[in-house]
């Protein structure tokens, strides 16, 4: 798969998505779990995989180039840090979706990050699209706090929970990040981050490890 979208952990969730895709794939998915564990990257990885499956280009010499172009033409990604959503944007996207021709070979994908941060008016505007999506449109709502999602929306989606990394997967993450550790440090890193890659990097890169060690020393 695309190198910069390799996923650590979440094997069961990705397998569930892939098996569902090969059958009758539900049109709307609510992807939830704590922030920073790799939900969005896992879904983008799945989308690339589904584009490859649909177009049978797994053995193509131009595999990565083809998939990147297919992703750009097939995926609308909103409410990320680079593309915050507001009511005007949502209305425009819904209008474009309704007017577009979805009879092509590929599915089209609507990927909404930080869904719970949208105001209630935006959520209500999306509800009708979730209830009656155009043909061949797949919707993924990335959520950090499922309790902030209206029941009218969550009940119309398949809810798929993503968990923090296991210690084995967390160790793989440390290796990829070229972070030196031993068994004692591995336990220390894992326990204080709870297996959350983003949380770990935040306190690791801000000298949090040394601060924690000093606090423990003072307490002892």
């Amino acid at each position: 798969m695309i190198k910069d979208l390799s996923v650590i952990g979440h094997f069961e969730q990705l397998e569930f998505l892939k098996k569902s895709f090969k059958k009758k794939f539900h049109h709307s998915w609510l992807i939830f779990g704590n922030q920073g564990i790799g939900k969005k990257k896992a879904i983008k990885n799945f989308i690339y995989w589904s584009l490859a499956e649909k177009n049978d280009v797994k053995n193509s010499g131009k595999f990565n180039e083809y998939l990147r172009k297919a992703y750009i033409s097939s995926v609308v990604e909103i409410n990320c840090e680079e593309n915050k959503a507001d009511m005007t944007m949502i209305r425009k996207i819904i209008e474009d979706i309704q007017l577009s021709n979805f009879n092509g070979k590929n599915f089209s994908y609507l990927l909404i990050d930080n869904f719970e941060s949208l105001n209630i008016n935006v959520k209500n505007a999306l509800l009708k699209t979730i209830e009656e999506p155009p043909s061949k449109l797949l919707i993924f709502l990335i959520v950090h706090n499922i309790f902030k999602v209206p029941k009218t929306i969550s009940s119309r989606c398949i809810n798929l929970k993503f968990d923090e990394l296991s210690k084995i997967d967390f160790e793989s993450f440390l290796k990829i990040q070229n972070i030196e550790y031993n068994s004692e440090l591995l336990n220390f890193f894992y326990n204080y981050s709870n297996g959350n890659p983003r949380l770990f990097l935040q306190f690791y890169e801000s000298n949090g490890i040394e601060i924690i060690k000093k606090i423990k020393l003072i307490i002892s």
Side-chain angles (χ1 to χ4, degrees):
M1 193 52 68
I2 302 297
K3 185 177 181 181
D4 58 356
L5 280 179
S6 57
V7 176
I8 300 173
H10 312 311
F11 175 78
E12 291 182 2
Q13 290 85 351
L14 283 170
E15 282 300 299
F16 180 74
L17 285 164
K18 290 175 182 179
K19 288 179 180 178
S20 300
F21 187 80
K22 292 180 178 180
K23 298 177 183 178
K24 187 175 181 181
F25 201 71
H26 192 69
H27 56 76
S28 298
W29 293 72
L30 197 155
I31 308 300
F32 71 100
N34 288 336
Q35 189 171 15
I37 58 176
K39 302 185 298 297
K40 182 179 174 182
K41 181 177 279 191
I43 295 304
K44 291 177 75 170
N45 183 287
F46 164 75
I47 292 174
Y48 273 112
W49 173 88
S50 66
L51 288 170
E53 284 290 304
K54 198 69 178 174
N55 292 276
D56 193 26
V57 295
K58 293 185 285 296
N59 297 318
S60 171
K62 297 182 178 180
F63 177 64
N64 284 1
E65 179 185 354
Y66 172 84
L67 284 185
R68 289 186 190 280
K69 289 180 179 178
Y71 186 93
I72 291 171
S73 64
S74 302
V75 180
V76 177
E77 186 179 337
I78 61 173
N79 209 40
C80 53
E81 293 181 0
E82 304 83 13
N83 194 18
K84 295 290 185 181
D86 57 22
M87 197 65 188
T88 302
M89 177 187 289
I90 293 297
R91 284 175 176 164
K92 179 67 167 60
I93 289 171
I94 292 173
E95 182 180 333
D96 289 345
I97 287 172
Q98 291 171 341
L99 293 175
S100 296
N101 180 5
F102 289 91
N103 295 321
K105 187 175 182 180
N106 289 334
F107 284 101
S108 291
Y109 303 81
L110 178 58
L111 177 57
I112 305 179
D113 199 9
N114 303 300
F115 178 75
E116 71 271 38
S117 69
L118 299 176
N119 66 48
I120 190 64
N121 293 326
V122 176
K123 290 173 182 174
N124 287 336
L126 285 164
L127 177 59
K128 185 169 180 58
T129 303
I130 293 172
E131 287 179 326
E132 302 175 8
S135 174
K136 307 200 81 167
L137 174 68
L138 303 180
I139 302 171
F140 292 95
L141 310 177
I142 310 296
V143 176
H144 309 314
N145 186 346
I146 194 173
F147 298 108
K148 292 185 178 180
V149 179
K151 290 286 186 182
T152 51
I153 289 178
S154 62
S155 63
R156 288 165 172 77
C157 301
I158 291 184
N159 295 192
L160 185 59
K161 186 176 187 296
F162 280 63
D163 299 307
E164 276 75 8
L165 301 185
S166 67
K167 187 177 287 188
I168 292 175
D169 291 331
F170 186 78
E171 186 174 6
S172 298
F173 162 75
L174 293 179
K175 291 177 180 177
I176 290 174
Q177 294 292 322
N178 294 317
I179 294 173
E180 295 184 2
Y181 67 93
N182 53 32
S183 58
E184 182 181 355
L185 276 177
L186 172 61
N187 290 330
F188 178 72
F189 292 162
Y190 184 76
N191 291 335
Y192 273 91
S193 65
N194 195 31
N196 187 311
R198 178 180 292 186
L199 182 60
F200 167 77
L201 288 177
Q202 284 176 344
F203 71 73
Y204 182 82
E205 294 173 353
S206 60
N207 205 33
I209 303 296
E210 293 304 315
I211 293 173
I212 291 172
K213 288 180 178 178
K214 289 179 181 178
I215 291 174
K216 291 179 69 176
L217 181 61
I218 292 170
I219 293 174
S220 66

